[in-house]
Amino acid sequence: MKMASMLLRSVRSSTLSPSWAAHSAARVLSSTAPLHAQAAQTKSKKTLARPGVKNIVLVEGVRTPFLMSGTAYADMMPHDLARAALQGLLNKTGIPKDSVDYIIYGTVIQEVKTSNVAREAALGAGFSDKIPAHTVTMACISSNQAMTSAVGLIAAGQCDAVVAGGVEFMSDVPIRHSRKMRKTMLSLNKAKTLGQRLSLLGGIRLAHLSPELPAVAEFSTAETMGHSADRLAAAFGVSRLEQDEFALRSHTLAKKAQDGGLLQDVLSFKVPGRDIVSKDNGIRPSSLEQMSKLKPAFIKPHGTVTAANSSFLTDGASAVLIMSEEKALAMGFKPKAYLRDFVYVSQDPKDQLLLGPTYGTPKVLERAGLTMNDIDVFEFHEAFAGQIMANLKAMDSDWFAQTYMGRKTKVGTPPMDKFNLWGGSLSLGHPFGATGCRLVTTVAHRLQKEGGQYGLVAACAAGGQGHAMVVEAYPQ
């Protein structure tokens, strides 16, 4: 409660007005100009290339359509989706299957049969079995970690070409027996006599058969992420209307981008036994009136986070080809963007679980020697509309910067005419392990389309962690 009251004071010191969402959404939605090709601006900004530092480039990025869990992918396995993304990347780039030095994949809820899903998917996609592969997990920034691990391998001179990606499959998550039942079953496996087995079986009680269902919850606080988002929104004074308006904005912009053919990274994928899937299926523009009818999903009856203003459980996979610029050009590729400075941050997982973008943005800008005004494209992960709005209000508060971040002044908020203009996780979907690659690939494509030079990716993650990265357009 003390933290909440302190955060509310930070809101009062913020210059964001209560009707911010309505004005910004109306301003962005009133114009489709950002969604159309713009004449490339004259790039007067300096490049972030540094003497003696290897230039690392994004050559290509792809993803399977992101589908709501329980729909067309329901009978598959995670490595099937990851394999499809890898095959799509191979087809789109034409890179020889033995020219990649390393493969890294991110995932959150692991299928125990394919715990190193990077290796299984790579073998299934036809990559050489001589290529090492490993899997990383860092909650919603798992594929961000996969990409920056790739950057590190290239920067260190270990590799010239690395494939990074991520996958999440929420249609079939592992459900375990209770701990007591697991102990009994393991003991049964070791029992040597009939008497020992009968004794163990006789100790089984009905309660032992209750399964342990997975939950999107913090281990350290036992609080679900939706509950945390609701508390954060309340602490920053984010209204239900503001959240619904932002969610509607996300779905509306995503639909325009989808209809306009701007989501170039989406692959067409033949689902075994089903039709070809070629579009994300969670994009559903509604109306504020319809959204207002939904009941709170986590804190009842007075919460403000609902199914309509939250990202939904999603199945999907992504993959990117990252190379040294020298190697990419030698192989005849035209890179899409440079991957520049990046940071990881972490905060208190109880009261500041989802504030990663607030902490990561100023740090990565300082590393790159840039300001908010230098950024042409912003792509922030939308876990919840309330989470996005809380971050924007924190970023616009001098008091919050001084009290919690050790900064003299606020970093400021991204202009909404540069922010998530092709939709975001609320509408496109959020396969936990795959979203980071989507964010970076979207920035690269938007920079090309809009003629900008610098993009900024930021995301929050469970555990109170976060990531931010600066992406620079490749000269066209």
Side-chain angles (χ1 to χ4, degrees), residues 158-184:
Q158 290 286 321
C159 303
D160 284 315
V162 181
V163 169
V167 63
E168 210 64 46
F169 192 70
M170 301 303 294
S171 288
D172 181 30
V173 296
I175 298 174
R176 306 199 303 177
H177 282 289
S178 68
R179 183 154 195 158
K180 288 184 178 179
M181 191 64 189
R182 297 200 306 270
K183 281 185 175 182
T184 300

CSV table of all heavy atoms in Angstrom, one decimal, residues 158-184:
chain,number,residue,atom,x,y,z
A,158,GLN,N,33.5,-15.7,-32.5
A,158,GLN,CA,33.2,-17.1,-32.5
A,158,GLN,C,32.4,-17.6,-33.7
A,158,GLN,O,32.6,-18.7,-34.2
A,158,GLN,CB,32.4,-17.5,-31.2
A,158,GLN,CG,33.2,-17.4,-29.9
A,158,GLN,CD,34.2,-18.5,-29.8
A,158,GLN,OE1,33.9,-19.7,-30.1
A,158,GLN,NE2,35.4,-18.2,-29.3
A,159,CYS,N,31.6,-16.7,-34.2
A,159,CYS,CA,30.7,-17.1,-35.3
A,159,CYS,C,30.5,-15.9,-36.3
A,159,CYS,O,30.8,-14.7,-35.9
A,159,CYS,CB,29.3,-17.4,-34.8
A,159,CYS,SG,29.2,-18.7,-33.6
A,160,ASP,N,30.1,-16.2,-37.5
A,160,ASP,CA,29.8,-15.1,-38.5
A,160,ASP,C,28.3,-15.1,-38.8
A,160,ASP,O,27.8,-14.1,-39.2
A,160,ASP,CB,30.6,-15.4,-39.7
A,160,ASP,CG,32.0,-15.0,-39.6
A,160,ASP,OD1,32.3,-13.9,-39.1
A,160,ASP,OD2,32.9,-15.8,-40.1
A,161,ALA,N,27.6,-16.2,-38.6
A,161,ALA,CA,26.2,-16.3,-38.9
A,161,ALA,C,25.5,-17.2,-37.9
A,161,ALA,O,25.8,-18.3,-37.6
A,161,ALA,CB,26.0,-17.0,-40.3
A,162,VAL,N,24.5,-16.6,-37.2
A,162,VAL,CA,23.7,-17.3,-36.2
A,162,VAL,C,22.3,-17.1,-36.4
A,162,VAL,O,21.8,-16.0,-36.8
A,162,VAL,CB,24.1,-16.7,-34.8
A,162,VAL,CG1,23.3,-17.4,-33.7
A,162,VAL,CG2,25.6,-16.8,-34.5
A,163,VAL,N,21.5,-18.2,-36.3
A,163,VAL,CA,20.1,-18.1,-36.3
A,163,VAL,C,19.5,-18.1,-34.9
A,163,VAL,O,19.9,-18.9,-34.1
A,163,VAL,CB,19.4,-19.3,-37.1
A,163,VAL,CG1,17.9,-19.3,-36.9
A,163,VAL,CG2,19.8,-19.2,-38.6
A,164,ALA,N,18.7,-17.1,-34.6
A,164,ALA,CA,18.1,-17.0,-33.3
A,164,ALA,C,16.6,-17.0,-33.5
A,164,ALA,O,16.1,-16.6,-34.6
A,164,ALA,CB,18.5,-15.7,-32.6
A,165,GLY,N,15.9,-17.4,-32.5
A,165,GLY,CA,14.4,-17.4,-32.6
A,165,GLY,C,13.8,-17.7,-31.3
A,165,GLY,O,14.4,-17.7,-30.2
A,166,GLY,N,12.5,-18.0,-31.3
A,166,GLY,CA,11.7,-18.4,-30.1
A,166,GLY,C,10.4,-19.1,-30.5
A,166,GLY,O,9.9,-18.9,-31.6
A,167,VAL,N,9.9,-19.8,-29.5
A,167,VAL,CA,8.7,-20.6,-29.8
A,167,VAL,C,7.9,-20.7,-28.5
A,167,VAL,O,8.5,-20.8,-27.4
A,167,VAL,CB,9.0,-22.0,-30.4
A,167,VAL,CG1,9.8,-22.8,-29.4
A,167,VAL,CG2,7.7,-22.7,-30.8
A,168,GLU,N,6.6,-20.7,-28.6
A,168,GLU,CA,5.8,-21.0,-27.4
A,168,GLU,C,4.5,-21.7,-27.9
A,168,GLU,O,4.0,-21.4,-28.9
A,168,GLU,CB,5.4,-19.7,-26.7
A,168,GLU,CG,5.1,-19.9,-25.2
A,168,GLU,CD,6.4,-20.3,-24.5
A,168,GLU,OE1,7.5,-19.7,-24.7
A,168,GLU,OE2,6.4,-21.3,-23.7
A,169,PHE,N,4.1,-22.7,-27.1
A,169,PHE,CA,3.0,-23.5,-27.5
A,169,PHE,C,2.1,-23.7,-26.3
A,169,PHE,O,2.3,-24.6,-25.4
A,169,PHE,CB,3.5,-24.9,-28.0
A,169,PHE,CG,2.5,-25.7,-28.7
A,169,PHE,CD1,2.0,-25.3,-29.9
A,169,PHE,CD2,1.9,-26.8,-28.1
A,169,PHE,CE1,1.0,-26.1,-30.6
A,169,PHE,CE2,1.0,-27.6,-28.7
A,169,PHE,CZ,0.5,-27.2,-30.0
A,170,MET,N,1.1,-22.8,-26.2
A,170,MET,CA,0.2,-22.8,-25.1
A,170,MET,C,-1.0,-23.8,-25.2
A,170,MET,O,-1.8,-23.9,-24.3
A,170,MET,CB,-0.3,-21.4,-24.8
A,170,MET,CG,0.8,-20.4,-24.6
A,170,MET,SD,1.8,-20.8,-23.1
A,170,MET,CE,0.7,-20.7,-21.8
A,171,SER,N,-1.1,-24.4,-26.4
A,171,SER,CA,-2.2,-25.4,-26.6
A,171,SER,C,-2.0,-26.7,-25.8
A,171,SER,O,-3.0,-27.4,-25.6
A,171,SER,CB,-2.4,-25.7,-28.0
A,171,SER,OG,-2.9,-24.6,-28.7
A,172,ASP,N,-0.8,-27.0,-25.4
A,172,ASP,CA,-0.5,-28.2,-24.7
A,172,ASP,C,0.6,-28.0,-23.8
A,172,ASP,O,1.8,-28.3,-24.1
A,172,ASP,CB,-0.2,-29.3,-25.8
A,172,ASP,CG,0.1,-30.7,-25.1
A,172,ASP,OD1,-0.5,-30.9,-24.0
A,172,ASP,OD2,0.9,-31.5,-25.6
A,173,VAL,N,0.3,-27.5,-22.6
A,173,VAL,CA,1.4,-27.3,-21.6
A,173,VAL,C,1.5,-28.5,-20.7
A,173,VAL,O,0.5,-29.2,-20.4
A,173,VAL,CB,1.1,-26.0,-20.8
A,173,VAL,CG1,1.1,-24.8,-21.7
A,173,VAL,CG2,-0.2,-26.1,-20.1
A,174,PRO,N,2.7,-28.7,-20.2
A,174,PRO,CA,2.9,-29.9,-19.2
A,174,PRO,C,2.0,-29.7,-18.0
A,174,PRO,O,2.0,-28.7,-17.3
A,174,PRO,CB,4.4,-29.8,-18.9
A,174,PRO,CG,5.0,-29.0,-20.0
A,174,PRO,CD,4.0,-28.0,-20.4
A,175,ILE,N,1.3,-30.8,-17.6
A,175,ILE,CA,0.5,-30.8,-16.4
A,175,ILE,C,1.0,-32.0,-15.6
A,175,ILE,O,1.0,-33.1,-16.0
A,175,ILE,CB,-1.0,-31.0,-16.7
A,175,ILE,CG1,-1.5,-29.8,-17.5
A,175,ILE,CG2,-1.8,-31.1,-15.4
A,175,ILE,CD1,-3.0,-29.9,-18.0
A,176,ARG,N,1.5,-31.7,-14.4
A,176,ARG,CA,2.2,-32.7,-13.6
A,176,ARG,C,1.2,-33.3,-12.5
A,176,ARG,O,0.3,-32.7,-12.1
A,176,ARG,CB,3.4,-32.1,-12.8
A,176,ARG,CG,4.3,-31.4,-13.7
A,176,ARG,CD,5.7,-31.2,-13.1
A,176,ARG,NE,5.6,-30.4,-11.8
A,176,ARG,CZ,6.7,-30.2,-11.1
A,176,ARG,NH1,7.9,-30.6,-11.5
A,176,ARG,NH2,6.6,-29.5,-10.0
A,177,HIS,N,1.6,-34.5,-12.1
A,177,HIS,CA,1.0,-35.1,-10.9
A,177,HIS,C,1.4,-34.3,-9.7
A,177,HIS,O,2.4,-33.6,-9.7
A,177,HIS,CB,1.4,-36.6,-10.7
A,177,HIS,CG,0.8,-37.6,-11.6
A,177,HIS,ND1,-0.6,-37.9,-11.5
A,177,HIS,CD2,1.2,-38.3,-12.7
A,177,HIS,CE1,-0.9,-38.8,-12.4
A,177,HIS,NE2,0.2,-39.0,-13.2
A,178,SER,N,0.6,-34.5,-8.6
A,178,SER,CA,1.0,-33.8,-7.4
A,178,SER,C,2.4,-34.3,-6.9
A,178,SER,O,2.8,-35.4,-7.3
A,178,SER,CB,0.0,-34.1,-6.3
A,178,SER,OG,0.0,-35.4,-5.9
A,179,ARG,N,3.1,-33.6,-6.1
A,179,ARG,CA,4.4,-34.1,-5.6
A,179,ARG,C,4.4,-35.4,-4.9
A,179,ARG,O,5.2,-36.3,-5.1
A,179,ARG,CB,5.0,-33.0,-4.7
A,179,ARG,CG,6.4,-33.4,-4.3
A,179,ARG,CD,7.3,-32.2,-4.0
A,179,ARG,NE,8.7,-32.5,-3.9
A,179,ARG,CZ,9.7,-31.7,-4.1
A,179,ARG,NH1,9.4,-30.4,-4.3
A,179,ARG,NH2,10.9,-32.0,-4.0
A,180,LYS,N,3.3,-35.6,-4.1
A,180,LYS,CA,3.2,-36.9,-3.3
A,180,LYS,C,3.0,-38.0,-4.3
A,180,LYS,O,3.5,-39.1,-4.1
A,180,LYS,CB,2.1,-36.8,-2.3
A,180,LYS,CG,2.4,-35.9,-1.1
A,180,LYS,CD,1.3,-35.9,-0.1
A,180,LYS,CE,1.6,-35.0,1.1
A,180,LYS,NZ,0.6,-35.0,2.1
A,181,MET,N,2.2,-37.8,-5.4
A,181,MET,CA,2.0,-38.8,-6.3
A,181,MET,C,3.3,-39.1,-7.1
A,181,MET,O,3.6,-40.3,-7.4
A,181,MET,CB,0.9,-38.4,-7.3
A,181,MET,CG,0.4,-39.5,-8.2
A,181,MET,SD,-0.4,-40.9,-7.2
A,181,MET,CE,-0.6,-42.1,-8.5
A,182,ARG,N,4.0,-38.1,-7.4
A,182,ARG,CA,5.3,-38.3,-8.1
A,182,ARG,C,6.3,-39.1,-7.3
A,182,ARG,O,6.9,-40.0,-7.8
A,182,ARG,CB,5.9,-36.9,-8.5
A,182,ARG,CG,5.1,-36.1,-9.5
A,182,ARG,CD,5.9,-35.0,-10.2
A,182,ARG,NE,6.6,-34.1,-9.3
A,182,ARG,CZ,6.2,-33.0,-8.9
A,182,ARG,NH1,4.9,-32.6,-9.1
A,182,ARG,NH2,6.9,-32.2,-8.1
A,183,LYS,N,6.3,-38.8,-6.0
A,183,LYS,CA,7.2,-39.6,-5.1
A,183,LYS,C,6.8,-41.0,-5.1
A,183,LYS,O,7.7,-41.9,-5.1
A,183,LYS,CB,7.2,-39.0,-3.7
A,183,LYS,CG,8.0,-37.7,-3.5
A,183,LYS,CD,8.0,-37.3,-2.1
A,183,LYS,CE,8.9,-36.1,-1.8
A,183,LYS,NZ,8.9,-35.7,-0.4
A,184,THR,N,5.5,-41.3,-5.0
A,184,THR,CA,5.0,-42.6,-5.0
A,184,THR,C,5.4,-43.4,-6.3
A,184,THR,O,5.8,-44.5,-6.2
A,184,THR,CB,3.5,-42.7,-4.8
A,184,THR,OG1,3.2,-42.0,-3.5
A,184,THR,CG2,3.0,-44.1,-4.7
